[in-house]
Amino acid sequence: MTPPPPAPSSTAAARRQHVLLFPLPYQGHITPMFRLAGVLQARGFAITVFHTHFNAPDASRHPEYRFVPVPDGLSGPAPVAVNDVVARILALNGACEAAFRDRLAGVLEEYSESGDNVACLIADVHLLSMVEVAKKLGVPTLTLRTGSAACFTAFLAYPMLCEKGYVPVQGMSLDHSQLDMPVSELPPHRVRDLLVLDGEDGHVLVQEYLAHAVAAVKASTGLILNTFDALERRELDRIRRDLDIPVFDIGPLHMFSPAAESSLLYVEHQWKVGFELGGELSRSGVEAAVRRLMTETDGDEMRARAGELKKAAVECTGKAGSSCLAIDKLVTHIMSL
């Protein structure tokens, strides 16, 4: 067994409750996970962060946390194309599984010998292998979805979308009217809003990627979402209907310490804080969009709506707000595991 780096020695830290974290090694996932770490540390938990060598976080920026590197065996430049990024995430799971099992077992043994308790592991939803390893070692798990609830509803619905023939989308053979066709089983999504990759191989890759994420969530004891009730109440209700585990909408996390990943459909038609540029991106098109935003009535309406959402976010994260109460419920849940 490869021993993990030693934990800091401190009498004050003895017999503490530890929360273990494992973020997906991409900045849009690392940042919300660390903001969650700050929330939990403020509630009295000690934080241990497992991380890959690939895109490793800067431990010097968080001296109060313990960092445990997990060899990933991956080499070469970071992929850029979406297909390659998805393939890298899937490969990362298999590449880290044995090393994570080794490191986690060592940390559990060390904390047990010191009288400390490991409360749970919180892993990114795209790290199914880490969730499965932790469960086999007797560590309760939760999962963090760093993007919007709207996106995760599409994750859950993907098998149905395949069955109904919405995907795979043969993008080049469809005209705009077909791409704009509503997905009646998943309103307000259109065909163009669904996650697709080119070709049959791309479709198989997406199926595996989304199935692994949903499996990780369903194998956990709870799903944490970086969103808030006033923004995505309908989507949160839909997720709660589809899952048999608690769902904690504790965002926006940046107001406590979303790298919001949402379709343009929601930005324009649901939240009304932006608009989609149709067709190919051009300088003239961007200039026209800026003029529309700055001088026309709908630009005024978007700015007003953004102000309303900001106010709602402040209220949600304030005392007795929905996100603040969700954090209380999350802490209670972690302590009950």
Side-chain angles (χ1 to χ4, degrees):
M1 179 183 296
T2 304
S9 176
S10 171
T11 304
R15 295 178 297 280
R16 296 186 67 184
Q17 292 281 342
H18 292 262
V19 169
L20 316 179
L21 307 178
F22 204 139
L24 190 70
Y26 291 93
Q27 204 56 49
H29 296 255
I30 293 171
T31 299
M33 184 70 86
F34 273 81
R35 287 171 176 159
L36 174 60
V39 170
L40 294 175
Q41 188 192 43
R43 298 301 183 99
F45 292 102
I47 303 297
T48 299
V49 180
F50 291 86
H51 63 87
T52 61
H53 288 185
F54 171 67
N55 279 353
D58 184 356
S60 67
R61 297 183 61 185
H62 303 278
E64 68 277 24
Y65 303 158
R66 180 186 182 186
F67 287 81
V68 181
V70 178
D72 51 48
L74 300 177
S75 60
V80 177
V82 177
N83 292 49
D84 295 335
V85 171
V86 171
R88 168 65 68 97
I89 290 171
L90 292 171
L92 199 66
N93 276 264
C96 290
E97 185 174 353
F100 176 60
R101 182 184 300 110
D102 205 34
R103 288 297 177 100
L104 178 57
V107 165
L108 294 175
E109 181 179 2
E110 179 186 333
Y111 287 162
S112 175
E113 290 176 352
S114 67
D116 286 5
N117 180 61
V118 172
C120 67
L121 167 75
I122 301 176
D124 190 282
V125 299
H126 294 294
L127 294 176
L128 171 61
S129 293
M130 314 318 154
V131 171
E132 292 176 337
V133 165
K135 286 189 69 176
K136 289 176 182 177
L137 292 178
V139 179
T141 63
L142 291 97
T143 48
L144 172 66
R145 168 65 186 159
T146 57
S148 67
C151 285
F152 194 69
T153 61
F155 284 23
L156 290 167
Y158 205 78
M160 177 272 294
L161 299 175
C162 294
E163 181 182 332
K164 296 286 186 179
Y166 290 109
V167 287
V169 175
Q170 304 302 324
M172 296 305 294
S173 66
L174 297 179
D175 60 29
H176 285 291
S177 64
Q178 290 172 298
L179 288 171
D180 288 331
M181 182 176 66
V183 179
S184 58
E185 295 86 353
L186 192 65
H189 286 78
R190 306 161 298 181
V191 170
R192 71 166 66 247
D193 299 307
L194 304 177
L195 177 60
V196 295
L197 297 179
D198 293 337
E200 182 60 29
D201 289 345
H203 174 59
V204 171
L205 202 61
V206 168
Q207 281 184 299
E208 184 179 4
Y209 175 72
L210 299 186
H212 280 205
V214 171
V217 171
K218 290 184 175 181
S220 74
T221 71
L223 171 63
I224 305 167
L225 286 166
N226 185 18
T227 189
F228 57 101
D229 182 77
L231 183 67
E232 297 193 279
R233 181 170 300 150
R234 180 174 65 177
E235 290 74 24
L236 287 165
D237 287 344
R238 185 180 296 161
I239 290 170
R240 289 186 171 107
R241 285 196 303 268
D242 289 345
L243 296 178
D244 294 326
I245 58 174
V247 175
F248 304 97
D249 47 307
I250 66 169
L253 281 166
H254 71 271
M255 298 192 70
F256 284 104
S257 101
E261 177 190 319
S262 320
S263 73
L264 293 173
L265 172 74
Y266 273 78
V267 172
E268 180 172 5
H269 298 290
Q270 295 297 112
W271 304 332
K272 304 185 190 308
V273 292
F275 49 81
E276 183 177 359
L277 297 181
E280 292 205 15
L281 193 63
S282 66
R283 180 171 181 173
S284 61
V286 172
E287 289 174 348
V290 172
R291 283 196 299 272
R292 176 183 171 191
L293 179 63
M294 299 304 296
T295 64
E296 297 183 18
T297 301
D298 51 0
D300 293 335
E301 292 172 349
M302 279 183 259
R303 286 191 292 275
R305 177 59 176 157
E308 292 171 4
L309 290 178
K310 180 179 179 181
K311 180 181 177 182
V314 170
E315 291 174 351
C316 283
T317 56
K319 186 176 181 180
S322 63
S323 295
C324 190
L325 294 175
I327 290 173
D328 291 341
K329 292 177 182 177
L330 172 62
V331 170
T332 299
H333 180 69
I334 290 173
M335 296 299 294
S336 72
L337 297 174

